[in-house]
Amino acid sequence: MTAPPHEAHPAGPGRALPDTQQGMRRRNLARVMHTVSAEGPLSRAAVASRIGLTRAAVSTLVDELIRTGLLEELGPERPGRVGRPGSALAVSARGPAGLGAEVGVDHLAACAVDLRGQVRARAVRYGTHRGRSPEPVIEQLAALVRRVVAEAEGEGLWPAGLAVAVPGLVARDARTVVRAPNLDWHDADLSALLPADIPLTVDNEANFGALAELWLGEGTPRDFLHVSAEIGIGAAVVVDGLLLRGTRGFAGELGHVPVWPDGPACPCGGRGCLEQYAGEKAVLRAAGLEPGEDRVGLLAQRAEAGDEEVRRALRAAGTALGIALTGAVNLLDPEAVVLGGALAGLAPWLLPSLRDELARRTAGPACPVSVSELGPEGPLLGAAHAVVRAVLDDPAAVAERG
Amino acid sequence: MTAPPHEAHPAGPGRALPDTQQGMRRRNLARVMHTVSAEGPLSRAAVASRIGLTRAAVSTLVDELIRTGLLEELGPERPGRVGRPGSALAVSARGPAGLGAEVGVDHLAACAVDLRGQVRARAVRYGTHRGRSPEPVIEQLAALVRRVVAEAEGEGLWPAGLAVAVPGLVARDARTVVRAPNLDWHDADLSALLPADIPLTVDNEANFGALAELWLGEGTPRDFLHVSAEIGIGAAVVVDGLLLRGTRGFAGELGHVPVWPDGPACPCGGRGCLEQYAGEKAVLRAAGLEPGEDRVGLLAQRAEAGDEEVRRALRAAGTALGIALTGAVNLLDPEAVVLGGALAGLAPWLLPSLRDELARRTAGPACPVSVSELGPEGPLLGAAHAVVRAVLDDPAAVAERG
């Protein structure tokens, strides 16, 4: 995995790539894996009818996937079905696993997810990383990852790749954290600091949060804008089920969309950016609170208790979000906006003014805004599932390595 | 052509579509067409080496494309080359042609472009359509199209499809103009009004303008934001060479991005939208001029002559564009912004303040802003070339119809 998976890079007929028997086999292996993953357990005949290939062709593909440990046979199907009983196929619960890891501002986490999507190992470590240099933080993360790997290996799994979510801008090399203002990291190359024997992908936490929403959320559409916040405000644009990354990999910088262009100066160089009104620091200031531990919890608790100053601050943040999202919705025409991360916990007080603003600035019906049910787990799960998806998308590559 | 071409709809391995010999043949026919189109004239051997198939496989494909009139042989290659002389292949200058048409606020146009990309017939009609109902306007357009078709048929071409550019929002059915405020059209279905025997696609003029920029512009990147203006301000988002359309087909509504959110009311329901500062009406008002014929020409002429009021109005419009584009660039991270349509003619007076605003609101190097060289021709050419591209993308479909 040298490039980030799930990019908007369709291989259309305009590309002069050879379309060979070998390429067809690879794609058909992926179709079998995806079909069994989404609908299994299934017999070979059921797989064949679903993907439109002959039973014989499917059997050859399935045999290869069983041999390389990606599929397993559950034994003969229970009687009572029509025809000769076939053996039901399922995605293997052993074999390759996706490793996810997260660098939060106040915590580190790692987990292993098997091909069936089950979390099989997990480790978390709390403590702030503000102003710490990348090396010791990443060393601690590497220790968590090793712990998770050891635990997963004990269950017959092996790591197919590691994906790391970070709260910052990541270059398209999927290794370099170009800028993570809340950690004060600049141009930090993570590849030297994590296990060298496992293929590595680094990405922005909003991107992995959006992918988690897409893959694991209930009824998430394939075109949506995922807005997430920890300390800054990030967003991820998903178009037809693929992340829009941008030329440098920096797409989704909602926090620096100008809201009131003559407003307060922002460290980004601009004025009146969304973060100046709806970022954590701005909201705490407007609510008359001091930055400290569990700031979102504190805001939610005060708002719940009826603190009018806090409620007013959150209403104002919702209004600013509504203005920035009006621009985003006009540009992108998504099917929905989903609020995740810290925003999800504050949604009861942000949403009314946000929705009002969006509705009164929109000619037709306003774009629906919903709240993520994955909450702060999203980016970590999205990272691990990105690795799992990469295996399903090209099982032949894993078989070659495995 | 029942769906708009060139959408961001990659057929990734996640889709359970059968990958058959037949599908492979179709895709390889497309590869041959695209290769000869981009690099021809080429011998069969040269095509084979470029697309990575055997000479025999390519010969079979080429024979089929010659039989259906999409490729032609130019006769034996000139001697002096190594090996047995082969016959050079070129895309046919007869056979299928793309028809483009445009409904402007003050003009109608139609043209025919052959598979080599040459304009072979063209017709224009001037006169304002403001406040006219769609039927008589489209009847006039249909007459222009018939004239162009007759002319093209006289040269051995036949229409493979018709694409119509309109200044408004078009539904994803690629037939219904949902809203064209400057024509005062609402939910106008164009399919009944144009030649029924020719496959029809209707799309927003900014989208076709962007495609023209992508396909015909010098050095246009594959990721860019195309900003265009006639009377309203539209934009088109191109990601990896594909248009981002949005759920309803309405993506790219830059004109209704809030710039100063407490500014003047906009007919869209919002306040302080970009069109309130940089739309034609707003600029004319700020410049103290009356709306009339050739408004852009008048503005350019006055600005050129040193009229300080006009220059100030254009500077202010550039500032508003810069603020709106800061938001768009933060969200999309495009490689470039290209100004087309009427904006191109006013660029000398808009660009300095636009670029200033973008630069001072951006932390790193600002996104480069350039000016289209296609000018007002873009949407019409983009429409005709969209049909030509659809033929190159699936020559088998044309052969079945032709």
Side-chain angles (χ1 to χ4, degrees):
Chain A
M1 227 186 310
T2 53
H6 316 291
E7 282 177 39
H9 265 302
R15 307 278 180 93
L17 295 171
D19 201 350
T20 59
Q21 295 283 351
Q22 191 56 16
M24 200 162 93
R25 187 187 125 264
R26 279 184 104 106
R27 286 191 299 277
N28 282 333
L29 286 169
R31 289 195 177 94
V32 172
M33 281 303 289
H34 273 286
T35 304
V36 177
S37 169
E39 301 182 57
L42 288 174
S43 68
R44 285 167 172 77
V47 172
S49 87
R50 274 167 181 74
I51 67 176
L53 291 175
T54 64
R55 168 91 202 251
V58 165
S59 274
T60 308
L61 297 165
V62 163
D63 288 348
E64 180 170 346
L65 291 167
I66 291 175
R67 205 166 45 242
T68 52
L70 298 176
L71 287 184
E72 60 184 45
E73 291 190 281
L74 301 181
E77 280 184 342
R78 54 193 176 289
R81 302 267 177 102
V82 175
R84 194 165 65 87
S87 179
L89 300 164
V91 168
S92 180
R94 299 166 65 86
L99 297 180
E102 187 180 12
V103 180
V105 176
D106 295 324
H107 81 291
L108 298 172
C111 74
V113 169
D114 67 22
L115 291 187
R116 294 182 181 175
Q118 299 302 308
V119 177
R120 300 284 290 276
R122 185 198 297 264
V124 185
R125 181 190 169 118
Y126 294 96
T128 185
H129 311 304
R130 274 173 218 258
R132 291 179 69 199
S133 70
E135 290 76 9
V137 176
I138 294 300
E139 261 167 44
Q140 288 180 340
L141 186 67
L144 283 192
V145 169
R146 281 193 298 270
R147 219 160 85 199
V148 163
V149 169
E151 201 177 321
E153 283 176 345
E155 302 204 29
L157 293 161
W158 59 268
L162 167 63
V164 183
V166 295
L169 297 177
V170 178
R172 286 198 72 131
D173 67 0
R175 275 170 174 42
T176 311
V177 180
V178 177
R179 203 159 68 230
N182 296 310
L183 294 170
D184 205 21
W185 289 7
H186 295 274
D187 298 314
D189 180 352
L190 303 196
S191 56
L193 297 162
L194 284 161
D197 54 332
I198 305 174
L200 173 70
T201 302
V202 181
D203 204 350
N204 179 270
E205 56 93 18
N207 281 349
F208 281 132
L211 292 173
E213 208 56 42
L214 174 71
W215 295 327
L216 310 174
E218 193 79 39
T220 308
R222 289 175 64 80
D223 290 85
F224 68 104
L225 184 66
H226 183 255
V227 184
S228 124
E230 201 185 22
I231 283 155
I233 296 175
V237 181
V238 177
V239 179
D240 198 31
L242 297 171
L243 274 179
L244 187 151
R245 294 190 168 273
T247 302
R248 297 164 302 172
F250 296 177
E253 276 281 85
L254 189 71
H256 299 287
V257 167
V259 173
W260 280 283
D262 307 315
C266 182
C268 79
R271 282 200 161 273
C273 300
L274 176 60
E275 280 192 9
Q276 296 303 313
Y277 304 98
E280 196 184 79
K281 228 190 265 178
V283 175
L284 287 170
R285 197 187 318 116
L289 298 176
E290 286 297 310
E293 293 286 304
D294 190 19
R295 301 154 303 264
V296 169
L298 180 65
L299 285 169
Q301 189 191 322
R302 293 283 182 94
E304 183 78 67
D307 183 325
E308 198 39 53
E309 205 175 353
V310 170
R311 289 191 174 188
R312 199 180 314 118
L314 291 172
R315 270 200 304 276
T319 298
L321 272 163
I323 294 169
L325 286 172
T326 298
V329 166
N330 268 298
L331 275 172
L332 300 167
D333 186 23
E335 195 169 333
V337 172
V338 182
L339 301 188
L343 293 178
L346 298 171
W349 304 282
L350 292 168
L351 265 185
S353 56
L354 190 168
R355 284 190 176 131
D356 273 4
E357 202 63 33
L358 202 53
R360 74 187 187 88
R361 293 182 182 275
T362 309
C367 183
V369 182
S370 63
V371 178
S372 166
E373 283 165 19
L374 301 173
E377 282 285 84
L380 180 66
L381 290 175
H385 276 266
V387 177
V388 168
R389 289 268 161 165
V391 173
L392 300 180
D393 285 350
D394 192 3
V398 172
E400 285 156 15
R401 287 187 38 233
Chain B
M1 225 186 312
T2 53
H6 316 291
E7 283 177 37
H9 265 302
R15 308 275 179 96
L17 295 170
D19 201 351
T20 59
Q21 296 283 352
Q22 191 58 16
M24 200 163 95
R25 187 188 125 264
R26 279 184 104 107
R27 286 191 300 276
N28 282 333
L29 285 168
R31 288 194 177 95
V32 172
M33 281 302 291
H34 273 286
T35 304
V36 177
S37 169
E39 303 181 55
L42 288 175
S43 68
R44 284 167 173 77
V47 173
S49 87
R50 273 168 182 74
I51 66 176
L53 290 176
T54 64
R55 167 90 203 252
V58 165
S59 275
T60 309
L61 296 164
V62 163
D63 289 348
E64 180 171 344
L65 291 167
I66 291 175
R67 205 166 48 243
T68 52
L70 298 177
L71 288 184
E72 59 184 48
E73 290 188 283
L74 301 181
E77 280 185 343
R78 54 193 178 289
R81 301 268 178 100
V82 174
R84 192 165 66 88
S87 179
L89 300 165
V91 168
S92 180
R94 299 166 65 85
L99 298 179
E102 187 180 12
V103 179
V105 176
D106 295 323
H107 80 291
L108 298 172
C111 74
V113 168
D114 67 22
L115 290 187
R116 293 182 181 175
Q118 299 302 309
V119 177
R120 301 284 291 276
R122 185 199 296 264
V124 186
R125 183 189 168 120
Y126 293 97
T128 185
H129 312 303
R130 273 172 219 261
R132 291 179 71 199
S133 69
E135 290 77 8
V137 176
I138 295 300
E139 262 167 43
Q140 289 179 342
L141 187 67
L144 283 192
V145 170
R146 281 192 299 271
R147 219 160 84 198
V148 163
V149 169
E151 202 178 318
E153 284 176 345
E155 303 204 29
L157 293 161
W158 59 268
L162 167 63
V164 183
V166 296
L169 296 177
V170 178
R172 286 198 74 129
D173 67 0
R175 278 171 172 43
T176 310
V177 180
V178 176
R179 203 159 68 228
N182 296 310
L183 295 170
D184 205 20
W185 290 6
H186 295 274
D187 297 314
D189 180 353
L190 303 196
S191 56
L193 297 162
L194 284 160
D197 53 333
I198 304 175
L200 173 70
T201 302
V202 181
D203 203 349
N204 178 271
E205 56 93 18
N207 281 349
F208 281 132
L211 292 173
E213 207 57 43
L214 176 70
W215 295 328
L216 311 174
E218 193 79 40
T220 308
R222 289 174 64 80
D223 290 85
F224 69 104
L225 183 66
H226 183 254
V227 184
S228 127
E230 200 186 24
I231 284 154
I233 296 174
V237 181
V238 177
V239 180
D240 198 32
L242 296 170
L243 275 178
L244 188 150
R245 294 189 168 275
T247 303
R248 296 164 304 171
F250 297 177
E253 276 280 85
L254 189 72
H256 299 287
V257 167
V259 173
W260 279 283
D262 307 315
C266 182
C268 79
R271 282 200 161 274
C273 300
L274 176 61
E275 279 192 12
Q276 296 303 312
Y277 305 97
E280 197 184 79
K281 230 190 264 178
V283 175
L284 287 170
R285 198 187 317 116
L289 299 175
E290 287 296 308
E293 292 287 304
D294 190 19
R295 301 156 302 265
V296 170
L298 180 65
L299 285 170
Q301 189 191 321
R302 293 281 183 95
E304 183 79 67
D307 183 326
E308 198 37 55
E309 205 175 353
V310 169
R311 288 190 174 190
R312 199 181 313 119
L314 290 172
R315 270 201 303 275
T319 297
L321 272 162
I323 294 169
L325 286 172
T326 298
V329 166
N330 268 299
L331 275 172
L332 300 166
D333 186 24
E335 195 170 334
V337 172
V338 182
L339 302 187
L343 293 179
L346 298 171
W349 304 282
L350 291 168
L351 265 185
S353 55
L354 191 167
R355 284 189 176 133
D356 274 3
E357 202 64 32
L358 202 53
R360 74 188 189 87
R361 292 180 183 277
T362 309
C367 182
V369 182
S370 63
V371 177
S372 167
E373 283 165 22
L374 301 172
E377 283 285 86
L380 179 67
L381 290 175
H385 277 266
V387 177
V388 168
R389 289 268 160 165
V391 173
L392 300 180
D393 285 349
D394 193 3
V398 172
E400 283 156 16
R401 287 188 37 235

